[in-house]
């Protein structure tokens, strides 16, 4: 058994498969992280807010345009200021005049005081409900415009607030992404260090395993009944134990997990 262990001590170097695998890791490390640039761009974008407020100006401009359209109605300046109403009232006066005047003309009393009085009453009777209805409609429009402007202001404020919150959230994600970008930049160096550590650690691990097997076996072979104490030269067992202790000390800095 000890002879087999001794043979193993001469074969603790890397196997061809191990060497090939480590060379592949080394080449990959030298190439670096292929996504490092994209990760860095993403991090920069998020740290700048990720364009969350890019539409803020458009939203504010929309509110300004909407306010310009509705302000005349909301202010009340459009009450009674309706070109269509003016034309409708003119048509009423024309119709009433034609009807009343024709009647008085047939009686030979056109342009008389009674004619003018009848015309005035007819016009008033025709225009009054139209004017009243239009006034009520104009006031309703005023109130609707006022409410619409109020709601539009709230909607715009909420939209801008959400944009700002999204901007802040993106910047927070950018902080995390920045670390990922830094890790990606350091990928090559870290991978190289890990590969070189394995290249040194695999042989040392093999030596350690052989040492753990060899020491107990050597101790079994050296047991005897000699109880006398004397100064002796180091036996093969002592020499092997000393070697094992030295290798164990060498192994202590190398604690690797080669299962990843």
């Amino acid at each position: 058994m000890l002879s087999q262990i001794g043979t193993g001590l001469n074969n603790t170097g890397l196997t061809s498969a191990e060497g090939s695998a480590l060379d592949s890791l080394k080449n990959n490390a030298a190439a670096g992280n292929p996504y490092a640039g994209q990760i860095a761009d993403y991090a920069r974008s998020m740290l700048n807010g990720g364009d969350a407020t890019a539409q803020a100006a458009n939203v504010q401009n929309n509110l300004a345009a909407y306010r310009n359209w509705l302000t005349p109605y909301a202010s009340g300046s459009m009450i009674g200021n309706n070109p269509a109403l003016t034309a409708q009232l003119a048509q009423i006066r024309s119709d009433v005049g034609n009807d009343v005047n024709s009647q008085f003309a047939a009686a030979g009393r056109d342009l008389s005081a009674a004619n003018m009085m009848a015309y005035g009453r007819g016009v008033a009777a025709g225009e009054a409900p139209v004017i009243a209805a239009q006034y009520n409609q104009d006031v309703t429009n005023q109130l609707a415009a006022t409410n619409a402007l109020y709601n539009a202001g709230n909607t715009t404020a909420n939209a801008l607030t959400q944009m700002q919150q999204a901007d802040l959230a993106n910047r927070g994600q950018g902080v995390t992404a920045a670390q990922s970008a830094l890790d990606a930049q350091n990928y090559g160096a870290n991978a190289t260090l890990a590969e070189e550590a394995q290249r040194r650690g695999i042989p040392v691990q093999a030596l350690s395993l052989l040492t753990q097997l060899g020491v107990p076996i050597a101790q079994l072979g050296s047991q005897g009944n000699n109880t006398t104490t004397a100064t002796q030269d180091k036996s093969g067992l002592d020499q092997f134990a000393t070697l094992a202790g030295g290798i164990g000390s060498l192994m202590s800095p190398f604690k690797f997990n080669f299962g990843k």
Side-chain angles (χ1 to χ4, degrees):
M1 178 66 73
L2 286 175
S3 64
Q4 292 176 342
I5 292 175
T7 301
L9 288 172
N10 296 323
N11 295 286
T12 56
L14 295 174
T15 66
S16 60
E18 290 170 338
S20 177
L22 290 173
D23 288 341
S24 295
L25 291 175
K26 183 176 182 179
N27 293 334
N28 292 339
N33 189 329
Y35 307 106
Q38 292 171 287
I39 296 173
D41 290 342
Y42 171 77
R44 279 191 290 269
S45 175
M46 298 304 282
L47 285 172
N48 289 326
D51 290 334
T53 59
Q55 296 301 318
N58 290 334
V59 171
Q60 292 171 322
N61 290 338
N62 289 341
L63 176 63
Y66 191 67
R67 183 182 291 118
N68 289 335
W69 295 333
L70 290 185
T71 294
Y73 295 91
S75 66
S77 62
M78 295 301 292
I79 295 179
N81 184 14
N82 190 333
L85 175 63
T86 300
Q88 186 178 6
L89 295 177
Q91 185 63 49
I92 291 173
R93 287 191 292 270
S94 175
D95 292 344
V96 170
N98 291 335
D99 183 51
V100 171
N101 292 335
S102 64
Q103 293 180 29
F104 276 88
R109 299 176 62 190
D110 55 324
L111 301 179
S112 64
N115 186 175
M116 294 298 102
M117 183 179 294
Y119 173 74
R121 287 179 177 177
V123 170
E127 289 186 341
V130 174
I131 293 174
Q134 185 61 54
Y135 175 81
N136 291 335
Q137 183 60 53
D138 288 344
V139 172
T140 299
N141 292 341
Q142 179 186 19
L143 294 175
T146 302
N147 290 332
L149 286 175
Y150 177 77
N151 292 332
N154 287 339
T155 300
T156 300
N158 289 335
L160 294 175
T161 299
Q162 291 175 1
M163 289 180 183
Q164 289 293 338
Q165 293 300 320
D167 180 89
L168 293 174
N170 287 344
R171 291 176 188 273
Q173 293 180 15
V175 173
T176 301
Q179 183 59 52
S180 297
L182 182 60
D183 292 342
Q185 289 179 339
N186 292 333
Y187 164 81
N190 288 331
T192 297
L193 290 174
E195 178 271 329
E196 289 298 322
Q198 291 188 63
R199 192 180 294 275
R200 291 194 306 272
I202 289 175
V204 176
Q205 186 184 44
L207 284 173
S208 176
L209 178 60
L210 291 172
T211 300
Q212 293 174 8
L213 292 174
V215 170
I217 294 173
Q219 289 175 337
L220 289 174
S222 66
Q223 289 180 352
N225 297 322
N226 187 3
T227 59
T228 60
T229 58
T231 303
Q232 300 177 358
D233 292 336
K234 285 189 176 180
S235 65
L237 171 62
D238 294 332
Q239 296 175 9
F240 194 89
T242 302
L243 175 63
I247 293 176
S249 298
L250 288 174
M251 273 300 296
S252 60
F254 301 97
K255 302 296 182 182
F256 304 103
N257 185 354
F258 298 98
K260 292 185 179 180

